[in-house]
Amino acid sequence: MIGRLNHVAIAVSDLAAAAAIYRGRLGAEVSAPVALPEHGVTTVFVTLPNAKIELLQPLGEHSPIAKFLERNPDGGIHHLCYEVSDIRAAREKLKAEGARVLGDGEPKVGAHGKPVLFLHPKDFCGTLIELEEV
Ligand code: CO
C-alpha cells in the first residue's frame, strides 16, 4: 500500500543552526524557512536525490512538536512520511485493521499542499507515521 519514502522530519529547537548543519557541513540543498502557522511549525526543506528531510521548529504556543522537544532537547527524528495513491482508501484499510488515525481522521493539507494523515506511533513500531497522497 505505501509507496516511496517522501520525507523524514526532524524536530529542532534552532532552525537556523540546523539549516546551517545541512547546508554547510553536509553540503545539501536547503530551502529558506517556511512558516506553516496552521501546523504550528516553521520548516526548512532539505532536498536529497531520493527523498526530503524536513527540519521542523515550533511556531506559536501550541505547537504539536513542543512536547517532543521537551523530551528531546537536542532534537530528533519526529516522523516518517510515506506516499500513498489514495489516502482515504489507505485510512479505511488501516482503521479496519485497528490502527489509530490521529485527530479527527480527516486528511488535512500538509506542508506540500497535498492531503496528509498521521498514524499513532504505538501502532507502528514506536514511529509517528505521516501518509501523503501523491
Ligand atoms: Co511531515
Side-chain angles (χ1 to χ4, degrees), residues 7 9 54 79 81 118 130:
H7 62 268
E54 292 182 5
H79 64 266
C81 177
F118 285 89
E130 179 179 18

Side-chain angles (χ1 to χ4, degrees), residues 37-101:
E38 66 276 21
H39 292 283
V41 294
T42 303
T43 300
V44 161
F45 300 99
V46 179
T47 305
L48 305 178
N50 61 341
K52 291 178 288 256
I53 307 295
E54 292 182 5
L55 304 173
L56 308 175
Q57 176 182 271
L59 175 63
E61 286 180 21
H62 303 292
S63 173
I65 64 169
K67 279 226 162 54
F68 180 90
L69 281 169
E70 273 173 32
R71 291 193 303 268
N72 304 277
D74 296 327
I77 294 177
H78 183 261
H79 64 266
L80 302 179
C81 177
Y82 300 121
E83 297 180 354
V84 294
S85 57
D86 182 337
I87 200 163
R88 286 187 165 78
R91 176 190 64 190
E92 292 315 308
K93 178 179 190 300
L94 290 163
K95 281 170 71 178
E97 289 164 7
R100 287 165 283 184
V101 177

Side-chain angles (χ1 to χ4, degrees), residues 16-38:
I21 288 169
Y22 270 83
R23 184 185 288 117
R25 198 176 293 166
L26 293 174
E29 184 188 330
V30 173
S31 79
V34 179
L36 300 168
E38 66 276 21

